[in-house]
Amino acid sequence: METVVSGIRSTGRLHLGNYFGAVRNFVKMQHEHRCFFFIADYHSLTTHPAPSDLHAGVRQIMIEYLACGLDPEAATLYIQSDLPETAELYLFLNMNAYMGELERCTSFKEKIRSQPDNINGGLLTYPVLMAADILIHHATKVPVGKDQEQHLEMTRTFGTRFNRIYKVQYFPEPYAFNFGTELVKVPGLDGSGKMGKSEGEGNAIFLGEDPELIRKKVMRAVTDSGPVQPGQPRPEAIQNLFSLMHLVSSPDTIAHFDGQYNACTIKYGEMKKQLAEDMISFTEPFRTKIKELSSDGDYIRKVILLGAEKARSSASKTIKEVREIIGFRKF
Ligand code: TYM
């Protein structure tokens, strides 16, 4: 049995990228390993959410975790800020994280471009906080999408550096995990890149999305004028639509549109209509469960209290040991 840790930022709702890149694997791993799945509300502070939005975002992700099939008895489901030990480990690890390596991190460089008016210290040390989340429970496996791979590499760097500085074999090396060999990157609907909540509202399909909105978003997805020669390579935007189909449609449907593309007879309008209907069917059980859980405040509260208690018993042991290793002593 291995220890597994992963989290999702608390800003908003789960989209298909979160599901296929991360949460689907949480569900599969929860009965086989010692699992900790949390809601990263400290991390979401980098974008300065309003206090009421912060709270609502956390609650909503917890509801959606449960709607996806996460079992609070099997796994430890908790809120990051219920574990202040994480913040203490973050402080310790920050002392050994160097400016150069933090500035070179791809996600930091992207943030400099996307939010030039708010390049704060939390963004720079974002990977250190992630390392604290993972190392606090001594995790070895971290189910995440492709975009988190570099953060995992940095986590290994910070953990092994701590071991070297203090001449201990304390933190294990955690690796990004997916059941297939490759980490997943689910594309968005805007013709390039990945599905994400910061990439614009129309780019992502959420698990709790209203069917009519799914139809609208998918019909607006970027396409082109269609292939003119058989065997022509697929432009990125078109390949993205096929990749999304691979996630939600049947093999027959995919083969049908593949055949039409190759024969240059494809009508993208029809393909998108089909993709939207398949997304609606795929998300139906999540929508129903999310609605059901939304009104069950007592249950959500119980889950959150249980998670905090289980997570703290693991984290407080780590912090006690780390303090001793560093040299803090009682007087
Ligand atoms: P976040 O909230 O951006 O995304 C949560 C998880 O969803 C995955 N993901 C995707 N996977 C495939 N295709 C996509 N289009 C896609 N979009 C998102 C992400 O890879 C991630 O696994 N920093 C993290 C949260 C975090 C964390 C951690 C994760 C904080 N501490 C410790 C693991 C371990 C984040 O912002 O994820």
Side-chain angles (χ1 to χ4, degrees):
M1 186 185 292
E2 301 203 50
T3 298
V4 177
V5 168
S6 196
I8 310 262
R9 265 174 305 147
S10 58
T11 49
R13 306 160 284 162
L14 296 181
H15 52 66
L16 290 176
N18 296 138
Y19 182 74
F20 286 104
V23 183
R24 180 174 60 160
N25 292 334
F26 300 178
V27 177
K28 284 204 233 167
M29 296 173 98
Q30 64 181 343
H31 296 294
E32 286 166 32
H33 299 287
R34 177 177 176 254
C35 290
F36 296 87
F37 301 123
F38 65 95
I39 300 167
D41 54 350
Y42 283 151
H43 273 106
S44 71
L45 298 183
T46 54
T47 54
H48 305 165
S52 58
D53 289 348
L54 180 69
H55 183 75
V58 170
R59 182 178 193 275
Q60 189 60 27
I61 298 284
M62 185 54 90
I63 287 170
E64 300 200 1
Y65 265 174
L66 295 167
C68 288
L70 284 182
D71 173 355
E73 302 288 337
T76 298
L77 307 184
Y78 70 98
I79 301 168
Q80 189 185 32
S81 63
D82 274 343
L83 212 58
E85 289 86 349
T86 305
E88 188 171 350
L89 184 58
Y90 166 60
L91 182 151
F92 296 149
L93 294 175
N94 263 324
M95 303 301 166
N96 312 327
Y98 297 111
M99 283 300 285
E101 62 192 343
L102 295 173
E103 281 170 348
R104 275 194 303 277
C105 177
T106 311
S107 61
F108 179 64
K109 288 197 271 190
E110 271 168 20
K111 289 292 176 192
I112 292 182
R113 274 195 298 275
S114 65
Q115 52 181 74
D117 298 333
N118 180 22
I119 307 166
N120 56 62
L123 282 176
L124 184 70
T125 57
Y126 190 104
V128 189
L129 182 52
M130 260 187 81
D133 293 324
I134 295 166
L135 297 174
I136 196 94
H137 302 299
H138 294 254
T140 47
K141 281 193 167 152
V142 186
V144 283
K146 179 97 186 130
D147 58 328
Q148 301 296 320
E149 200 168 25
Q150 191 183 29
H151 291 155
L152 263 294
E153 199 183 315
M154 294 173 83
T155 299
R156 290 193 290 279
T157 302
F158 300 141
T160 49
R161 188 175 293 152
F162 178 93
N163 290 348
R164 206 177 50 248
I165 290 175
Y166 294 106
K167 301 187 177 53
V168 287
Q169 274 306 317
Y170 186 67
F171 289 123
E173 289 192 37
Y175 285 87
F177 177 81
N178 185 52
F179 279 97
T181 41
E182 288 280 302
L183 296 178
V184 174
K185 180 175 158 190
V186 176
L189 293 169
D190 64 356
S192 67
K194 65 160 196 167
M195 184 172 287
K197 46 203 160 212
S198 11
E199 275 79 4
E201 180 57 21
N203 182 43
I205 298 290
F206 296 94
L207 294 183
E209 196 97 87
D210 172 57
E212 217 24 70
L213 200 51
I214 295 183
R215 288 190 189 100
K216 258 196 206 137
K217 284 184 177 182
V218 175
M219 292 316 286
R220 270 196 234 120
V222 175
T223 50
D224 59 17
S225 50
V228 283
Q229 260 179 353
Q232 208 175 316
R234 295 173 195 185
E236 193 182 0
I238 305 305
Q239 185 50 49
N240 288 352
L241 287 184
F242 277 99
S243 300
L244 289 167
M245 256 195 165
H246 275 273
L247 299 175
V248 296
S249 302
S250 72
D252 285 355
T253 304
I254 298 163
H256 171 77
F257 289 102
D258 258 337
Q260 287 198 340
Y261 186 91
N262 293 334
C264 302
T265 55
I266 193 159
K267 293 200 179 71
Y268 290 131
E270 275 173 26
M271 182 184 180
K272 290 200 273 191
K273 236 185 225 161
Q274 181 67 45
L275 177 60
E277 293 316 309
D278 291 343
M279 281 181 169
I280 291 168
S281 315
F282 180 81
T283 49
E284 183 57 39
F286 300 110
R287 244 185 325 275
T288 311
K289 201 87 187 107
I290 290 169
K291 269 197 202 120
E292 218 176 277
L293 285 161
S294 294
S295 54
D296 200 348
D298 282 348
Y299 178 60
I300 304 300
R301 201 169 311 115
K302 241 174 43 203
V303 167
I304 288 171
L305 287 175
L306 174 69
E309 194 183 310
K310 290 206 279 180
R312 287 198 86 167
S313 86
S314 158
S316 58
K317 180 169 181 291
T318 304
I319 278 299
K320 186 169 170 286
E321 290 168 352
V322 165
R323 282 173 151 268
E324 270 164 26
I325 291 169
I326 291 178
F328 292 107
R329 304 269 187 271
K330 283 224 164 67
F331 284 93

